[in-house]
Amino acid sequence: RVRLVESGGGSVQAGGSLRLSCAVSGDLTGSRCMAWFRQVSGEKEREGIAGILDDLTTIYSGSVTGRFTISRDDAKNTLYLQMNNLNTSDTAVYYCAADDGLYNSPPLVLDEYVYWGQGIQVTVSS
């Protein structure tokens, strides 16, 4: 079993930056593939925004490409999301997710991930 705990959220003004962290513990073979999702208040679906494999292959959704960077430090058992040039549409609860599946490219599909963090709020004000 894998346990995920997010940190680093908060409030920031538009144009600012935040870095989210996700501490991973437990059976680390369950975190070959990791990703960040977010859910806007009132919306049903979580949106996959960035994913990374243990070989450091990454993928991004179009809504964050060029502004967000996903990375992982397996020595520290931590996943990161550096978010730059934030805008009000980035306001959401952000979740990290992990899966032990073998992929050529990290999926940004919610159903592919078994393990989830509790989520952390990011609020961007204008």
Side-chain angles (χ1 to χ4, degrees):
R1 181 167 180 82
V2 174
R3 184 167 180 253
L4 306 173
V5 179
E6 300 97 337
S7 61
S11 297
V12 66
Q13 287 197 317
S17 299
L18 279 175
R19 187 174 82 156
L20 302 183
S21 299
C22 175
V24 183
S25 61
D27 180 3
L28 299 181
T29 60
S31 60
R32 290 192 189 98
C33 180
M34 300 197 70
W36 289 97
F37 286 72
R38 66 185 182 186
Q39 187 165 15
V40 175
S41 177
E43 293 198 0
K44 271 177 108 173
E45 295 288 332
R46 290 181 190 179
E47 174 195 12
I49 57 173
I52 187 167
L53 301 179
D54 55 2
D55 67 1
L56 304 185
T57 299
T58 59
I59 193 167
Y60 297 92
S61 69
S63 59
V64 306
T65 295
R67 301 188 299 123
F68 291 12
T69 302
I70 188 171
S71 62
R72 60 191 291 165
D73 186 338
D74 288 345
K76 295 182 179 179
N77 297 333
T78 304
L79 175 74
Y80 301 100
L81 185 69
Q82 177 66 43
M83 305 186 292
N84 297 329
N85 194 21
L86 285 159
N87 56 61
T88 55
S89 64
D90 295 316
T91 294
V93 177
Y94 284 70
Y95 298 87
C96 66
D99 191 74
D100 61 359
L102 298 174
Y103 301 97
N104 291 324
S105 178
L108 294 181
V109 177
L110 186 146
D111 290 346
E112 294 292 336
Y113 291 88
V114 173
Y115 305 107
W116 290 87
Q118 80 285 355
I120 193 162
Q121 179 70 44
V122 170
T123 302
V124 184
S125 58
S126 59

